[in-house]
Structure formats: C-alpha cells, structure tokens
Amino acid sequence: MVSLYTSLSSSTSNNTKEIFARRSFLPEHQNGLWKIETGFIRTFTYLEDGTTVALGLWGPGDIVGKALSKLEPYQMECLTKVEATVLPLEEWTQLTETLLTHIHQAQELMVIRSHKKVETMLIKLLAWLSKKFGSEVEKGRLIDMRLTHEDLAEMLGSTRVTITRILGQFEQEGLINRLSLHRIVLREEEIWYYEI
C-alpha cells in the first residue's frame, strides 16, 4: 500500500500517538487533523431520517478530520484498533494533496454506488477495497478490515440481509473466500464478468 502522506514536517513527528479501540470514535479537532498510523477508519454522516451515509474508508498513512468536511454530523469511527497522531493544521504542509485524495475517494465511491444492481456495487466495492487496502495472499487479495455486513450495507445504501445473501452467492461462485473476523479474500481473476 502506497501512501501520499509520507513526508511530514519534522515538527509533527514529536506528536504522540493515541490509541483507540475498535468501534470507538476519533474526537474532533477544529484546528487539527488525524494521521492514521495503524488500523482502519470509516467516515460518515447521517441523514435526517437516521440513514448512514458513508463518506470514506481510510487506513495507514491517510489523513482524516472534521476540518476536511462541512457536513454535520461528521463521524470518524474506528473499524479496528487504531493508532493515530494529531497534526495541527498550521503545521500541515500538504493540505492540497490531502484534499485531492478525499475528492478522489468520494468520486470513486460515488461511481461504485451509482450501479443499478447491489451485486455489481458490492463486487466493485470489494475490488476497490482490495486495491486500496488489500494484501496479496495465496488465493487472491486479503481485505483485512473486519467490515461487518452492516458496514458494507451502509456503504452501499443497502440492507444487511441483502449483503449477507450476495456474499453467500459470491462465495458459492468462487469469487470470494470468507474468513473469520469478517475478513474476505477476493479472487480478482474470477470477477472479470462483473466488469462488463
């Protein structure tokens, strides 16, 4: 995995890492951002009716924070145990690069969610996750983010029941292998027909 955020100024290297438990939330810093050192975070907001709207998925090296959004509420939930460092905005020299990364991810997720069929959205999402966060294993690419069926459903505007059914279908078709702790191995060579 390659990060765009590898050259922090020396003044930020003195900041201490904070550790957050799985399913906890990163606190907002009006004048700061969070640099994820280890673990995975999802950012999201809510509609008036309580519907969750996914804004992004972030991993080691990525930068998140309320300062990058005008949405209310703006939540940063830890999908795994997370180590993160606060970066004061006045010390952050790569704000343009960070903003561009957020825009690119929002566009990619918007295209994924624009497909008509949930099956297509889900396989596209799994392919995107495997490229962004996956690691090579013997039988494909491991997505070790521990996303629940509910997490995937919220990202796609679907239901947990539908996602569970489609994941079972994908497993029967040999597109994925499901492992314990909500980990998935995507067999990329098998998903070509969803690309058509």
Side-chain angles (χ1 to χ4, degrees):
M1 176 174 20
V2 177
S3 174
L4 297 173
Y5 315 109
T6 53
S7 58
L8 292 177
S9 65
S10 59
S11 60
T12 60
S13 62
N14 295 330
N15 293 342
T16 57
K17 291 180 189 171
E18 294 186 43
I19 298 174
F20 299 91
R22 181 177 191 273
R23 296 296 178 194
S24 65
F25 292 87
L26 295 183
E28 291 181 14
H29 286 282
Q30 295 299 358
N31 296 317
L33 300 169
W34 288 100
K35 178 177 185 264
I36 303 167
E37 305 293 342
T38 63
F40 297 98
I41 292 173
R42 74 175 180 142
T43 52
F44 63 94
T45 190
Y46 293 104
L47 300 179
E48 294 81 14
D49 67 0
T51 302
T52 300
V53 178
L55 301 175
L57 290 170
W58 312 97
D62 287 333
I63 308 296
V64 296
K66 174 67 175 129
L68 298 172
S69 176
K70 290 190 178 270
L71 294 174
E72 284 293 338
Y74 178 85
Q75 299 289 314
M76 299 171 284
E77 182 183 22
C78 300
L79 295 172
T80 61
K81 177 182 169 186
V82 170
E83 287 184 37
T85 306
V86 174
L87 304 172
L89 274 178
E90 64 273 4
E91 295 177 10
W92 186 238
T93 60
Q94 299 169 320
L95 191 54
T96 301
E97 201 171 310
T98 301
L99 289 171
L100 287 173
T101 300
H102 279 252
I103 290 167
H104 294 160
Q105 186 172 128
Q107 291 172 342
E108 290 168 342
L109 292 174
M110 185 172 39
V111 168
I112 289 168
R113 286 196 60 173
S114 295
H115 289 278
K116 305 259 185 281
K117 296 173 69 177
V118 178
E119 292 88 347
T120 306
M121 284 192 281
L122 183 55
I123 202 69
K124 296 280 189 183
L125 178 63
L126 293 175
W128 182 80
L129 290 170
S130 77
K131 286 179 186 145
K132 183 165 173 60
F133 302 111
S135 58
E136 286 292 330
V137 294
E138 185 179 329
K139 296 185 178 183
R141 290 191 58 84
L142 174 65
I143 304 168
D144 190 11
M145 295 181 71
R146 299 184 178 150
L147 292 165
T148 66
H149 296 185
E150 184 69 29
D151 293 333
L152 294 169
E154 287 176 354
M155 292 207 62
L156 298 176
S158 185
T159 66
R160 183 195 55 76
V161 172
T162 299
I163 296 301
T164 300
R165 178 183 55 79
I166 295 169
L167 285 173
Q169 172 189 324
F170 287 171
E171 192 167 33
Q172 285 180 340
E173 293 175 10
L175 299 174
I176 65 170
N177 291 328
R178 290 191 283 181
L179 308 175
S180 61
L181 301 173
H182 304 288
R183 296 175 301 157
I184 296 173
V185 175
L186 179 68
R187 299 187 53 186
E188 291 179 309
E189 72 278 1
E190 301 294 330
I191 65 168
W192 63 269
Y193 62 88
Y194 277 96
E195 302 292 328
I196 298 173

